[in-house]
Structure formats: C-alpha cells, structure tokens
C-alpha cells in the first residue's frame, strides 16, 4: 500500500473518530485533508487555497439558499406553534394506544413539510413523553420513534421532500425532488412499516419483561435493558420538561398549521412539472448565467420558491402569535450557518481526497465493485456517510468525487437519471445514523437517554431497515427501471 493511500485511509479514520469526540468539522476537515496531502507529497498551501476552498465555496454557493430558507421555515413553524399543533393533531387522532405510530407520523409530516429534524425533536419530545407515559410504553423507545419519523423515509425516500438530502443529487443528474416517485414511495413504505412493526414488537417484549415508562433499576444502578444486568449509567442528559409543551407555544388551528406544509410540497410539484417546463429559459445558456439548462437548476429553484412562499404564508397567518418576528427570522438565519459550512467543509475535504493520485486506486475499487453502477453508487455514498456521520456530507463527497463517472456510466447503460438520484438519496440515509452521528447524539440528549439505552432501536429503524429498502430499490430499479 502506497504512502498516499495510507494517508487517505488514516485521514478518513481520524475524521470519523475525532468528529465523534466532538471536534468541529469546520476545523477538522481542512486539517485532515492537508494531512492526506502531506502524506501523498502534495503542496499543502496550494491544495488548501486552490482545491479545498473552491470546492467549499461552490457547495455553499449552490445550496446555501436551501439551508437558509429551511432553517427559517423550521424556526417560524416552531415559534408560531404550528409544529406543536400538527403533532398534537396527529397524536389526538390516532390516540395513546398507538403512540408509536402517532409520534412517527407526526414527525414524518413535519419533516416532509420541510421542518428541521432538530426543531421536530424539540417540538415532539414533550408530547411523545406524555403519550408514552400514559400508554405505559418504555421511554427508551422514544428516540427511535422520533428518528424513524425524522431521519428515514421523509429525509431520503418520499418524492418531493424538501430535505437537503433530496436536493443535493439534482444538479448532478439534472433531476428534481420528485425523481423516481414510485420507487421512492416503495422505499418509504418499507422504512415506515418496517420501523413501526419493529418498535411495536420491541415495546411488547420490554413490557413483558417488566419494563414500563421508566426502566426498572437493579442493584448497582444498572438497567434491565435486554434481560440482563448492565453497567451503571453515567446519567441522562438534561431535557426539557415533559409537560412544557402545554404552555410554551401558542394554540394554532390544525388546518392553518398544515397549510405551509401543503404549500411546500404542492407548489414545488407544480413548479417543476408544469410551470418551469412551459417557460422559456433560453437565456440560461448565456455565460453570465452559467451556460446551464433549466433541468440543472429547476430542482433547486422549485424548493427555493416553495419555501419562500411557505415562510410568507406562515408569517402572514401567525403574525400576532409570534412575539418577535425579526428575532425569529434572525435566529433561523443564524441557525443555517453552521450546518451549511459544516457540510461544505466536508465537500472541500472530499475534493482534496479526490485530487490525490492515490484516490485512483479507491475510485477503481468502488467502480469495480459491480458492473451495476447503482450498486457502486449506493456503496460509496453509504460508506462515506457512515465515515462522516452525515448523510448530506457523505453524499456530497461521493458526488463531488465520482458524480460525473456515475452519470456517464448511467447514460452508457441506459439508466434513468431519476433512478440514480433516488438511489443516491436513499443511500445517504443508512450508515449516516451510526452512533457518532450528530443528530443521533443530539436526539438522545433531548430525550435524556444514552446510547446504551436507546441506540439499538435507533440502529434498526434508521440504519438496518433503510439499507434493506435501498437494496429493494436497486433490485427493482435494475429489473424494471425508474418509475
């Protein structure tokens, strides 16, 4: 193994380990990219300013509007009380007896409508806690239930979701958020039904073993997690009060809360399928506008317009319910900066790795895994998402390094670009949810639980079942094509 290849492997390993230890990727990505460059004998300063930073800038320039508008929309939905209203509506209609399904659907509707998974977790956890307590369900299952509704089918599979994971592939494959709707729906149903069935089965098993809402404590401070005594817990992270949701947000009629969600999905669909195709965008071929076609930008344009309209609608209908509109918008704006630059830094890292001579070995290995580009694409995205602990980061690195090759292979083999888009999106949502994932760590903190208590179930619903759904989509796509 050449020193350059050792440098890449060492760099990737350190990225995974140190990110899990809490070092911010903004500083971690360039340092580890330059470590790989140094071991490959490349020029470090030139690599940083001429490779890393341009890749970072290009990503930020392309996707910043989506991060910005998504963060503002999520903040407005939270502060206005709309997110809580939707969650309450779903929970009350389905009832405490089906608490797992109710919380999953509440999270799913919110995230499918464009609300940040972090906003959803904070908004839904107090409701979930009260509902699980009333139903006598184990509290340890709450993180997996929220993860199922927020991290899986609405993030990567369902057609039209405005999640960044569904937007990133669009410029690479000239597609939009509704790519391969049939396959996406099938994958989404596998994740939803499979996850709910698993959590229902787990709840019955734990209850039969004597566990109620709070796990029984055994001597030494351990918990009866899986039928045996476990080591003492370090203690839960601080959480919000479980009944805090009853007073912290204004009451909003359910129909009014759902309107922005409908606008995000419906307007996006109308734009990319009817309005944009009927308009003349010949001017985009001019150098001043990047010499692109409408297919290369329609996917992002549709989400931008839909989110702007949804934000305006929510602000207009809830103006009197939001105490400080300026503060709310400003907080949403600032909340978008760290996520976009974290992901952009990972893209810069990927660009540096791809520029090294030793990367040719890795690229050939990935492309040579299978004669089917869908398999190679899924593997590269999933592995990089697992290493970075980020669905968007892993996907972006893979597409930055290999996107052109996968598109070319797809064209050569007659694979519909929509199928490439959907496989890429779904693949990003598998190994990304390994224990070092930031969203997993944050969710456990919100719920006041630990990895030992709850990660097993998160792993099943957010890693194992999505990977199964991905395999099904690849098989169906290979046999029947995109639909």
């Amino acid at each position: 193994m050449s020193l350059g290849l050792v440098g890449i492997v060492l760099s990737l390993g350190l990225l995974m380990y140190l990110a899990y230890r809490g070092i911010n990727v903004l500083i971690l990505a360039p340092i580890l990219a330059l470590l790989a460059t140094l071991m490959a004998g490349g020029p470090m300063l030139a690599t940083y300013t001429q490779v890393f930073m341009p890749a970072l800038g290009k990503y930020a320039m392309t996707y910043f509007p989506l991060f910005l508008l998504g963060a503002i929309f999520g903040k407005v939905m939270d502060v206005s009380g709309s997110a809580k209203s939707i969650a309450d509506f779903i929970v009350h209609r389905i009832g405490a007896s089906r608490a797992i399904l109710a919380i999953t659907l509440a999270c799913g509707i919110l995230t499918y409508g464009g609300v940040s998974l972090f906003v959803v977790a904070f908004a839904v956890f107090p409701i979930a806690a009260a509902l699980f307590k009333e139903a006598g369900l184990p509290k340890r299952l709450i993180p997996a239930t929220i993860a199922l509704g927020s991290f899986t089918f609405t993030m990567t599979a369902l057609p039209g979701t405005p999640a960044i994971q569904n937007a990133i592939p669009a410029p690479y494959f000239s597609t939009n958020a509704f790519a391969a709707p049939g396959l996406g729906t099938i994958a989404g149903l596998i994740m939803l039904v499979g996850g709910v069935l698993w959590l229902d089965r787990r709840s019955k098993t734990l209850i039969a073993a004597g566990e109620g809402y709070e796990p029984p404590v055994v001597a030494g401070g351990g918990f009866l997690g899986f039928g045996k005594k476990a080591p003492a817990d370090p203690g839960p992270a601080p959480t919000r009060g479980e009944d805090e949701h009853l007073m912290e947000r204004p009451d909003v009629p359910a129909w009014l809360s759902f309107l922005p969600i409908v606008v995000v999905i419906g307007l996006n669909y109308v734009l990319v399928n009817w309005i944009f195709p009927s308009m003349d965008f010949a001017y985009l071929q001019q150098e001043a506008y990047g010499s692109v076609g409408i297919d290369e930008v329609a996917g992002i344009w549709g989400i931008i317009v839909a989110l702007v309209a949804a934000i305006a609608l929510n602000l207009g209908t809830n103006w009197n319910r939001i105490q400080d509109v300026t503060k709310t918008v400003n907080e949403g704006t600032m909340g978008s900066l760290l996520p976009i630059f974290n992901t952009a830094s990972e893209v810069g890292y990927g660009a540096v790795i791809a520029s090294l001579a030793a990367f040719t070995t890795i690229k050939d290995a990935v492309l040579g895994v299978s004669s089917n580009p869908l398999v190679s694409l899924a593997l590269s995205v999933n592995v990089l998402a697992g290493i970075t602990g980020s669905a968007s980061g892993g996907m972006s690195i893979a597409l930055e390094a290999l996107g052109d090759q996968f598109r070319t292979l797809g064209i050569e083999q007659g694979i519909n670009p929509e199928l490439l888009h959907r496989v890429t999106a779904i693949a990003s949502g598998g190994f990304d949810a390994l224990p070092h994932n930031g969203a997993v760590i944050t969710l456990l903190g919100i719920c006041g639980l630990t990895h030992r208590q709850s990660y097993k179930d998160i792993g099943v619903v957010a890693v194992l079942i999505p990977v199964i759904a991905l395999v099904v989509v690849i098989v169906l796509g290979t046999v029947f094509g995109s639909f």
Side-chain angles (χ1 to χ4, degrees), residues 131-166:
L131 200 63
F132 272 53
K133 184 181 292 185
E134 178 184 346
L137 296 175
K139 181 181 179 182
R140 71 165 70 218
L141 298 180
I142 292 179
T145 305
I146 294 176
L148 174 59
S150 304
F151 298 2
T152 61
F153 58 97
T154 59
M155 186 177 83
T156 65
L158 292 188
T161 174
I164 190 66
Q165 292 80 5
N166 193 36

Side-chain angles (χ1 to χ4, degrees), residues 210-237:
E211 181 170 336
Y213 178 73
E214 295 289 353
V217 180
V218 298
F223 291 99
L224 287 172
F226 308 107
K228 60 182 180 180
K229 182 176 177 180
D233 244 81

Side-chain angles (χ1 to χ4, degrees), residues 91-465:
V91 165
H92 291 157
R93 289 299 180 278
I94 295 179
S97 62
R98 307 190 72 184
I100 290 172
L101 177 62
I103 295 302
T104 298
L105 291 179
C107 293
I109 289 172
L110 287 168
T111 50
Y112 188 49
V115 182
S116 161
L117 61 91
F118 296 105
V119 171
V120 170
F122 273 109
V124 172
F125 168 67
I127 302 172
L131 200 63
F132 272 53
K133 184 181 292 185
E134 178 184 346
L137 296 175
K139 181 181 179 182
R140 71 165 70 218
L141 298 180
I142 292 179
T145 305
I146 294 176
L148 174 59
S150 304
F151 298 2
T152 61
F153 58 97
T154 59
M155 186 177 83
T156 65
L158 292 188
T161 174
I164 190 66
Q165 292 80 5
N166 193 36
I168 289 173
Y172 292 93
F173 303 122
S174 298
T175 49
N176 60 58
F178 294 90
L183 289 170
T185 301
I186 290 172
L189 288 174
I190 291 172
M191 295 179 202
L192 171 60
V193 175
V196 170
L197 289 176
W198 169 263
L199 292 175
D200 279 340
R201 177 177 174 275
R202 279 281 290 153
S203 67
K204 290 181 175 64
T205 300
L206 291 172
I207 291 171
E211 181 170 336
Y213 178 73
E214 295 289 353
V217 180
V218 298
F223 291 99
L224 287 172
F226 308 107
K228 60 182 180 180
K229 182 176 177 180
D233 244 81
T239 68
R240 304 169 106 191
E242 294 180 359
D243 297 319
E244 190 179 331
H245 71 286
L246 297 176
M247 63 186 73
E248 66 177 358
R249 292 291 182 258
D251 291 325
V252 186
W255 67 269
L256 193 60
S257 299
F258 277 100
L259 270 182
I261 303 289
V262 174
V263 166
V264 169
I265 304 301
L267 182 56
N268 185 19
Y269 182 84
V270 170
L271 286 168
V272 300
N273 288 284
W274 297 339
I275 296 180
F276 290 158
S278 68
M279 298 175 66
D280 182 9
F281 290 104
Y283 64 86
L284 288 174
Q285 296 296 329
Q286 300 175 24
E287 186 177 349
Y289 300 107
S291 301
V292 298
I294 182 58
D295 289 343
E296 297 176 65
V297 295
I300 292 178
W301 283 11
I303 297 176
I304 289 174
V305 175
L307 284 173
V308 168
I311 291 169
L313 175 63
N314 201 313
L315 288 174
T317 56
N318 293 288
W319 193 267
N320 295 329
R321 295 185 179 91
I322 302 176
Q323 294 182 356
D324 191 333
V325 173
T326 301
K327 179 182 178 182
T328 298
V329 173
N330 285 346
E331 287 181 351
T333 300
M334 297 306 295
S336 70
L337 297 181
L338 186 59
I340 178 66
F341 280 104
N342 275 344
T343 307
S345 291
E346 291 174 339
V347 172
Y349 170 86
V352 171
I353 298 300
S355 71
L356 302 177
F359 181 74
T360 302
T361 304
I362 297 176
K363 180 176 69 174
D364 291 342
V366 170
L367 296 177
V369 165
S370 170
S371 59
N372 186 344
L374 297 177
V375 175
S376 301
L377 176 61
L379 178 65
S380 60
V381 171
N382 230 325
V383 169
L384 286 168
I387 290 171
T388 60
S390 167
S392 57
M395 178 199 302
S396 298
I397 291 174
L399 291 178
E400 183 71 23
L402 299 168
D404 290 340
Q405 287 92 330
F406 285 125
R407 178 167 183 159
T408 300
L409 287 172
I411 293 173
E412 291 175 352
Q413 298 191 24
I415 297 175
N416 192 317
E418 290 196 6
L419 179 55
L420 294 172
H421 176 127
R422 188 54 54 204
V423 167
T424 302
I426 296 173
S428 74
F431 293 167
D432 71 304
L434 292 175
H436 63 291
N437 174 273
V440 169
I441 294 170
T442 300
L443 176 59
L444 290 171
I446 292 171
C447 297
L449 294 162
T450 64
H451 279 78
R452 184 175 61 78
Q453 291 171 289
S454 296
Y455 184 75
K456 172 183 177 180
D457 299 297
I458 294 175
V460 171
V461 303
V463 179
L464 178 60
I465 295 176

Side-chain angles (χ1 to χ4, degrees), residues 11 15 24-37 44 47-48 52-53 56 341 345-346 348-349 352:
S11 174
L15 180 64
N24 193 290
V25 74
L26 274 175
I27 189 65
L28 194 58
I31 290 175
L32 293 178
L34 295 181
L35 171 64
T37 302
M44 295 178 64
T47 297
Y48 179 68
F52 182 92
M53 288 307 300
L56 181 153
F341 280 104
S345 291
E346 291 174 339
Y349 170 86
V352 171

